[in-house]
Amino acid sequence: EKGGYAHFMLKEIHEQPQALRDTLRGRLSPDGRRVTLPEVGLTPEEVRRLRKVALVACGTASHAGLVGRYLIERLAGIPVEWDVASEYRYRDPMLGPDSLFVAISQSGETADTLAALREARAKGAKVLAIVNVVGSSIAREADWALHTWAGPEIAVASTKAYTTQLVAVTLLAVWLGQAAGRLDEDGAARILAALRDLPAQAEQVLAQEAEVQRVASDLARHDDVFFIGRGLDYAVALEGQLKLKEISYIHAEAYPAGELKHGTLALITKGVPVVALSTQPALAPKTLSNIQEVRARGAAVIAVALEGDEQVPRHADTVFTIPRTDPLVAPALAVIPLQLLAYYAAVLRGHDVDRPRNLAKSVTVE
Ligand code: M6R
């Protein structure tokens, strides 16, 4: 049942190229210039009237939501609020008929996400679910369900559900951008071409597995690890640190790279591992100076950078590379080495990777 893999998590990491293909299938027009999402029932007129989009989810799905925030604001020009579902209701969110509420959930059964969705409905918002499990509560209670086609995810640590959620939010952002008249077909075509290449590029990243395993054996000896990045790289840093914490039990924290010097830099001392993401060319010079900052304090820098980047390798102890792509699509590639890093660190520490302590696959209590 694990298809020859030692754990479901490793199997699911390797299923990502196929899961990404399945989630894209039928959603790009044959000429690659438009997204077709018949399951989303908003008319172009309704999209143009939207005053906000709310992205709400828990855990890994919330990290996909954070990527969605950047993309929807950038491509569709609609203000986006982003919240974890367990906090959302406590601030009495302002929602109405001009709001699109988007719940993101692998299982479709997460209690907090479902409760937030019900509140959004009660306030008259339009409700879309990005969900993996067909027929789940969240899929049924939403106005529309945009499915990720990751297939069954068994390991508690979410991997292929996350990368397919990234594809789904990207498709949604392009679709909203086109419906709102903010994104022209050339602009859409560039992003859609990157999505098309994504499954094969994910395979290329997976090919670095042996190298990641070697780095993990070193990482597994540490008790504190920091993850830094800016923009979309920060969103990926959040996912990387969660993955590491939940299965290896290594304390990990993610920071926006520019926030370090507002306090956390005090914790960076000789030998502390810092995982630094730099996949966004527009932000690379600033991230590089943050890498130099932690390096100067003796940090062991594990970087994730674009192929051909000449700067980052000069300042990092190890570099995992991802193929060049549209910056908006990079998160789905950048996360892969971090998933493998967490996996191998957990295996080396002797943990039950697929069933980490205290955690359930689907959290059905608030
Ligand atoms: O089923 P959901 O996507 O709603 O689950 C949300 C979180 O519980 C889930 O992503 C959790 O954070 C994972 N264990 C992370 O790997």
Side-chain angles (χ1 to χ4, degrees):
E1 47 169 11
K2 291 181 198 151
Y5 290 100
H7 298 94
F8 281 109
M9 183 182 176
L10 189 59
K11 172 171 178 270
E12 289 161 6
I13 288 173
H14 282 274
E15 283 171 347
Q16 288 180 112
Q18 191 56 42
L20 295 167
R21 263 181 219 113
D22 291 343
T23 302
L24 283 166
R25 184 166 303 121
R27 288 168 166 169
L28 309 186
S29 65
D31 65 1
R33 296 171 69 78
R34 297 200 72 80
V35 170
T36 36
L37 295 179
E39 51 274 82
V40 184
L42 286 170
T43 64
E45 176 61 28
E46 286 172 322
V47 172
R48 280 192 287 272
R49 274 207 307 266
L50 287 176
R51 302 196 44 192
K52 78 157 69 156
V53 174
L55 295 172
V56 177
C58 296
T60 285
S62 80
H63 300 152
L66 194 52
V67 171
R69 175 164 85 177
Y70 285 97
L71 268 58
I72 292 169
E73 291 192 334
R74 174 81 59 88
L75 301 177
I78 307 169
V80 179
E81 54 183 36
W82 168 88
D83 283 87
V84 291
S86 55
E87 287 295 316
Y88 189 61
R89 280 169 301 154
Y90 307 134
R91 63 183 181 80
D92 200 11
M94 287 177 282
L95 289 173
D98 296 341
S99 317
L100 173 65
F101 175 94
V102 184
I104 308 174
S105 177
Q106 187 286 129
S107 64
E109 302 298 344
T110 300
D112 283 310
T113 310
L114 184 58
L117 178 154
R118 287 178 177 155
E119 171 141 348
R121 279 199 76 108
K123 291 191 161 172
K126 313 232 171 2
V127 175
L128 171 68
I130 293 177
V131 70
N132 194 45
V133 177
V134 178
S136 57
S137 305
I138 289 174
R140 281 185 282 110
E141 293 198 25
D143 294 318
W144 313 293
L146 175 55
H147 285 102
T148 49
W149 298 113
E153 193 181 64
I154 309 295
V156 165
S158 187
T159 54
K160 61 179 181 168
Y162 171 72
T163 43
T164 57
Q165 283 160 355
L166 293 180
V167 166
V169 295
T170 308
L171 291 169
L172 178 64
V174 171
W175 186 84
L176 287 169
Q178 294 199 302
R182 288 266 312 210
L183 180 64
D184 63 19
E185 290 200 347
D186 288 345
R190 274 194 295 276
I191 300 164
L192 301 184
L195 283 178
R196 267 215 179 117
D197 292 341
L198 189 59
Q201 291 184 327
E203 267 156 23
Q204 283 174 250
V205 181
L206 285 166
Q208 293 169 68
E209 183 164 357
E211 172 71 356
V212 180
Q213 187 173 2
R214 193 186 59 73
V215 175
S217 66
D218 194 37
L219 196 76
R221 287 196 288 268
H222 289 268
D223 292 319
D224 301 286
V225 178
F226 294 88
F227 288 71
I228 59 170
R230 287 172 182 258
L232 289 172
D233 285 330
Y234 169 57
V236 177
L238 282 169
E239 176 57 8
Q241 58 98 34
L242 177 63
K243 221 79 311 171
L244 188 65
K245 279 198 277 230
E246 96 177 301
I247 57 171
S248 77
Y249 315 151
I250 295 171
H251 167 236
E253 288 190 64
Y255 281 91
E259 186 65 13
L260 275 182
K261 50 175 126 4
H262 299 285
T264 308
L265 202 53
L267 295 175
I268 307 296
T269 52
K270 194 165 162 37
V272 171
V274 175
V275 179
L277 291 115
S278 181
T279 73
Q280 303 291 308
L283 305 172
K286 287 190 174 160
T287 302
L288 190 68
S289 67
N290 301 126
I291 291 174
Q292 288 168 309
E293 248 163 37
V294 296
R295 210 36 179 355
R297 275 125 192 122
V301 177
I302 302 162
V304 178
L306 292 169
E307 259 169 30
D309 185 321
E310 290 181 356
Q311 291 299 323
V312 171
R314 291 200 194 133
H315 302 281
D317 297 85
T318 312
V319 185
F320 303 123
T321 58
I322 65 162
R324 295 213 166 240
T325 180
D326 188 288
L328 301 182
V329 174
L333 297 171
V335 76
I336 294 174
L338 308 187
Q339 296 169 338
L340 288 167
L341 203 56
Y343 172 77
Y344 282 109
V347 170
L348 286 159
R349 286 187 152 215
H351 300 321
D352 184 350
V353 174
D354 286 334
R355 286 184 303 153
R357 68 186 178 205
N358 308 340
L359 300 177
K361 181 63 182 163
S362 179
V363 182
T364 52
V365 291
E366 286 185 37

